[in-house]
Amino acid sequence: QERTFIAVKPDGVQRGIFPEVLKRFTQRGFKLVGIKLCTANESLLRKHYVDLQEKPFFNSLLSYMTSGPILATVWEGKDVVKQGRAMLGATNPLNSAPGTIRGDFAIDMGRNVIHGSDSVENAKKEISLWFKPEELV
Ligand code: ATP
Ligand code: MG
């Protein structure tokens, strides 16, 4: 079965949006196979966002992602990577359709509440970065 990595970012945890995220993915029919609250360190985030290292916003992304606890989750199910991205909405919340998580709960790109893997390959990479095998059901 396909798996994806979904993380509620520090703003989403702090604002109490994480139960809504769990509810939406569960009600859609996806299976929760891993969950933990954690604080990300810089070295983990540099690996997680390796493709963005050269971007001008990278340092602010690092401070955002280390500003509080993150709810890291892994979900399993049919087409879950693509379906999960659709449930998140566009990167810029101003372009996210109503009904998506970002479209319903965010307006700033720098505080867009949630992360989701963008490909099956990256999902595998991110799951192994954030979780030990024994932490997954
Ligand atoms: P994520 O990987 O967090 O799910 P994404 O795949 O939609 O988001 P990416 O291009 O991977 O978008 O960017 C990662 C994160 O970096 C974005 O979610 C956002 O928080 C931040 N970001 C991306 N582009 C910008 C930008 N132009 N200005 C500020 N922050 C940005
Ligand atoms: Mg991304």
Side-chain angles (χ1 to χ4, degrees):
Q1 275 276 39
E2 188 170 300
R3 290 181 167 189
T4 195
F5 175 68
I6 300 290
V8 184
K9 297 178 178 182
D11 57 326
V13 173
Q14 196 274 330
R15 293 171 58 209
I17 293 163
F18 63 94
E20 179 70 24
V21 172
L22 300 178
K23 184 180 171 207
R24 289 185 184 208
F25 276 82
T26 304
Q27 290 188 343
R28 183 78 193 278
F30 295 123
K31 181 184 168 194
L32 184 63
V33 294
I35 183 166
K36 65 179 174 186
L37 197 61
C38 56
T39 35
N41 59 37
E42 188 175 322
S43 100
L44 170 67
L45 290 169
R46 284 187 184 279
K47 290 178 198 152
H48 176 81
Y49 282 133
V50 67
D51 301 339
L52 302 176
Q53 298 248 25
E54 307 302 320
K55 300 284 185 191
F57 58 83
F58 189 73
N59 280 335
S60 62
L61 180 59
L62 276 186
S63 10
Y64 166 42
M65 292 296 286
T66 54
S67 65
I70 288 172
L71 188 75
T73 64
V74 178
W75 296 87
E76 186 178 280
K78 213 178 286 178
D79 199 32
V80 68
V81 172
K82 195 176 104 195
Q83 298 302 320
R85 291 281 290 189
M87 290 163 70
L88 263 54
T91 307
N92 185 342
L94 296 182
N95 298 327
S96 301
T100 64
I101 293 167
R102 287 164 175 160
D104 287 347
F105 300 107
I107 44 172
D108 292 329
M109 179 116 89
R111 286 183 298 172
N112 60 357
V113 172
I114 191 161
H115 162 83
S117 307
D118 61 9
S119 67
V120 172
E121 190 191 346
N122 280 335
K124 286 187 182 138
K125 190 196 92 178
E126 291 168 5
I127 291 167
S128 64
L129 203 53
W130 290 79
F131 285 90
K132 298 173 190 152
E134 64 267 28
E135 290 175 327
L136 300 174
V137 184

